[in-house]
Every structure is written in structure tokens, then in C-alpha cells.
Amino acid sequence: MKTVDVNGKTFERWSVDEVASALEANEIVLIDVRMPLEYGFEAIPGALNMPLAFFDPKKLPTQDGKRIVLHCAGGLRSEKMAKLALEAGFDVIADLDGGFGAWKEAKKTYRATDMATGAPKIVSE
């Protein structure tokens, strides 16, 4: 994990493997800040959706016992939202380094849409 100090608060960048392990162990809340259409088309199982357009750090769950990790497609939107959360009073917030693209590139399991039927399917490479 890489950490950056942002005005005395901590912004963490977690690797795909760190997020996958913590998600499997039920140690984090993973928040996908992509738009609902992106999230509906494909997503990391267990991730919640709080789209950038409606992102309100005050609506994030507390970090009592679980760290919040944000992600988007490539990391730009989630980094911006993480910094907004820090400005809103969070002392520590994390981001999936490389976003959903890095997750797929690492061949981690995700939910996708079968284009032939429109049904959800699990992709595990």
C-alpha cells in the first residue's frame, strides 16, 4: 500500500491484491464511484455504487472496523472522491490503484453482462 499525506490526513492507494484479500476477508467496504450504467454492465462482486455525480462523503459508511476503499475505471474519479472525503472530515481513505481496469488486468473475478442474453455472469479468469 502506498500512502500520501493530504493536509495531515492519509490517502492510501491499495493494490489489486490488497483489495481482493481485504474484500474476501470482509475487512473493507468497496465503493464504486462509476456511473450506474458502468456499474450495471460490470462490477466487482460486493462493491457498492455511489456514482461520482451523486457522491456525498457524508453518506459514506463509518470506518468503524472496516476501511473504505473507493474505485472507478482507472483511478482518476475515485482519487478525486477520496480527496473530497478527506476534505469532509475523513482522516483516512483508500483507493484501488489502477481502478477496475487494473482489477480486470489482474484477472480477478468480476460480474459482467452476457451480451447475447443481457443476463449477469461471473467472469473468473
Side-chain angles (χ1 to χ4, degrees):
M1 160 188 340
K2 302 173 211 167
T3 61
V4 177
D5 180 273
V6 179
N7 299 321
K9 298 180 180 195
T10 304
F11 172 57
E12 299 173 340
R13 287 193 180 277
W14 289 32
S15 72
V16 168
D17 288 335
E18 289 169 326
V19 171
S21 293
L23 193 58
E24 178 68 28
N26 201 29
E27 296 171 345
I28 63 171
V29 176
L30 185 61
I31 308 284
D32 185 334
V33 301
R34 297 176 304 149
M35 297 308 294
L37 184 61
E38 294 172 281
Y39 177 81
F41 182 66
E42 56 185 10
I44 298 170
L48 305 175
N49 188 224
M50 184 182 280
L52 170 74
F54 305 104
F55 187 84
D56 181 352
K58 295 175 190 145
K59 303 293 185 203
L60 289 170
T62 66
Q63 296 191 84
D64 296 337
K66 289 187 181 185
R67 179 68 45 89
I68 294 173
V69 180
L70 305 176
H71 88 84
C72 62
L76 295 174
R77 291 177 282 182
S78 56
E79 179 179 345
K80 183 177 180 180
M81 298 304 96
K83 290 181 178 174
L84 283 176
L86 293 173
E87 290 172 11
F90 281 77
D91 291 323
V92 179
I93 194 89
D95 176 52
L96 170 57
D97 196 11
F100 188 62
W103 186 270
K104 288 172 62 175
E105 187 175 303
K107 302 194 182 316
K108 299 295 185 187
T109 300
Y110 64 97
R111 178 192 43 77
T113 301
D114 183 320
M115 297 311 290
T117 65
K121 67 178 182 178
I122 297 296
V123 177
S124 183
E125 301 179 31

